[in-house]
Amino acid sequence: MRHAYLLPLAFLFSCAASDQLASESPADTTARNVDRAFDVPALLGMNATQIVRPLTGQDIRYDQDRTPREMLSGGGKEASKTYWHDTTALVVSYNPESLHVNSYFIRTKSGLTRDYKTLLKLANVSEYDKRMRIEPMASVSNPQLYTGVKLVPLP
């Protein structure tokens, strides 16, 4: 019983040991690295037919809206093409007569995200880019979540 005072200390050390490896950490605490899905700045200045070439060579598929719709302001028509890279969509809105690109809209298949900056990273766009106006689109049902980001090229 000479070393009885060490028993509580030994008990504490045995309880502190864990079977979990140091490399296993909860997903919440690690910062997620987001790879870009599209390079929107490289598309600036191109019209709707010109952007097809750089996008289709990147393992991207596209869907075209076959029915141009009336634009609310200006009275013209607007058509869109949606390009998919895995679960990320880039919707390109353009004038079907002049093929001038009006805007880009980046979204994910899951629909909602808490941080729109993640969507900017997927589009390879800096939030300080002066070549385009960045408009985060909040969800109607929950304004703290975003459905996507609209990117409007500036003249």
Side-chain angles (χ1 to χ4, degrees):
M1 288 291 196
R2 242 174 50 195
H3 299 286
Y5 65 92
L6 293 176
L7 284 176
L9 188 59
F11 178 73
L12 284 175
F13 282 126
S14 67
C15 289
S18 172
D19 292 335
Q20 186 178 14
L21 297 175
S23 64
E24 294 177 4
S25 60
D28 300 340
T29 59
T30 59
R32 226 178 64 162
N33 186 12
V34 178
D35 293 329
R36 71 178 176 147
F38 298 98
D39 190 6
V40 173
L43 303 175
L44 294 176
M46 295 183 184
N47 67 29
T49 57
Q50 291 170 334
I51 64 173
V52 173
R53 178 171 282 148
L55 288 176
T56 55
Q58 300 177 6
D59 190 28
I60 294 173
R61 66 187 194 287
Y62 82 94
D63 305 320
Q64 183 169 359
D65 181 4
R66 302 246 185 245
T67 56
R69 59 189 179 277
E70 295 292 325
M71 291 173 49
L72 296 176
S73 62
K77 293 193 182 273
E78 183 176 62
S80 66
K81 289 184 181 178
T82 303
Y83 297 88
W84 287 94
H85 184 268
D86 294 330
T87 60
T88 305
L90 179 69
V91 181
V92 180
S93 297
Y94 64 97
N95 182 323
E97 295 162 358
S98 67
L99 300 176
H100 178 314
V101 174
N102 300 324
S103 67
Y104 302 93
F105 185 75
I106 187 95
R107 66 181 178 89
T108 60
K109 196 171 191 171
S110 62
L112 299 173
T113 183
R114 290 195 183 281
D115 186 10
Y116 73 89
K117 292 177 185 172
T118 303
L119 296 170
L120 291 177
K121 289 179 185 177
L122 288 169
N124 195 31
V125 173
S126 166
E127 63 183 308
Y128 305 108
D129 197 329
K130 301 293 183 199
R131 297 172 291 174
M132 62 189 85
R133 188 174 66 238
I134 298 170
E135 301 174 5
M137 298 293 173
S139 169
V140 174
S141 61
N142 186 353
Q144 296 175 341
L145 298 176
Y146 297 95
T147 58
V149 176
K150 184 177 182 180
L151 307 167
V152 181
L154 298 175

